[in-house]
Amino acid sequence: MRLGVLISVCLCLSGCAEFQALFPTNSTEATAAPARQTPNTTPEAVPRPPLNPSRGPLPTTGLSVDAFDTTTDAERAEATGGLTGGAGSIGTTVAGLGDPARPGFWIETPLVESEGPGRVVYAATGQSVQVKLIPVSDPDTSGSRLSLATMRLLEAPISDLVEVEVFAGT
């Protein structure tokens, strides 16, 4: 009998904390916990060297996709204009966003062994962009990385992995 009473008391007391959480009181115990404070630590902007001296440095606040894509309208027109058949398809690859601070139109891919001109086609939008093909030493089954400017011209979602067809030559 004593054991039953002891167990009942323990169960009742263990439920008190949960009961108080559901129905807080106005006692000083309920409000005694100090509010969590976050320290006032605002990082100072670190100056960045310009990616291309003719374009100036990247902005240090309010960075957006437009801020990172430093290509000009003329460069975009050149990358999408004058597309020819090329030397032929060298394969398809799944690609994600590469280094967004690295300017230009390029793809880093294990599909090529040496750097050279090429183009990529994104079938979902039908867009094609002339790029620099950059080899990587990853296995052939690994994915590729596209420049931010290339992904924007392909109208590919920059937060997704996309399948592109890669062509050697221009």
Side-chain angles (χ1 to χ4, degrees):
M1 171 99 164
R2 289 184 191 174
L3 183 60
V5 171
L6 182 60
I7 292 174
S8 297
V9 170
C10 289
L11 288 174
C12 288
L13 290 177
S14 67
C16 288
E18 290 187 28
F19 183 78
Q20 284 182 345
L22 292 174
F23 303 102
T25 62
N26 289 335
S27 70
T28 57
E29 268 187 74
T31 59
R36 185 174 175 172
Q37 296 178 355
T38 56
N40 186 9
T41 56
T42 305
E44 294 182 25
V46 177
R48 297 181 181 161
L51 294 175
N52 183 335
S54 66
R55 294 190 187 117
L58 287 175
T60 57
T61 59
L63 295 178
S64 66
V65 173
D66 290 328
F68 275 103
D69 185 359
T70 58
T71 56
T72 64
D73 290 338
E75 290 170 324
R76 288 185 205 111
E78 184 180 332
T80 56
L83 298 175
T84 61
S89 174
I90 56 174
T92 58
T93 183
V94 174
L97 179 63
D99 181 0
R102 187 171 166 195
F105 302 98
W106 49 265
I107 182 171
E108 295 174 327
T109 181
L111 296 176
V112 295
E113 293 179 6
S114 61
E115 195 170 292
R119 67 183 172 99
V120 292
V121 176
Y122 181 43
T125 61
Q127 299 296 321
S128 179
V129 177
Q130 292 180 10
V131 295
K132 179 192 293 186
L133 302 174
I134 302 170
V136 291
S137 59
D138 298 338
D140 289 343
T141 57
S142 68
S144 301
R145 295 173 290 277
L146 288 165
S147 70
L148 175 63
T150 302
M151 287 193 84
R152 291 186 75 195
L153 283 182
L154 291 174
E155 298 175 8
I158 63 172
S159 61
D160 291 353
L161 296 175
V162 296
E163 186 175 62
V164 294
E165 188 169 7
V166 182
F167 293 83
T170 54

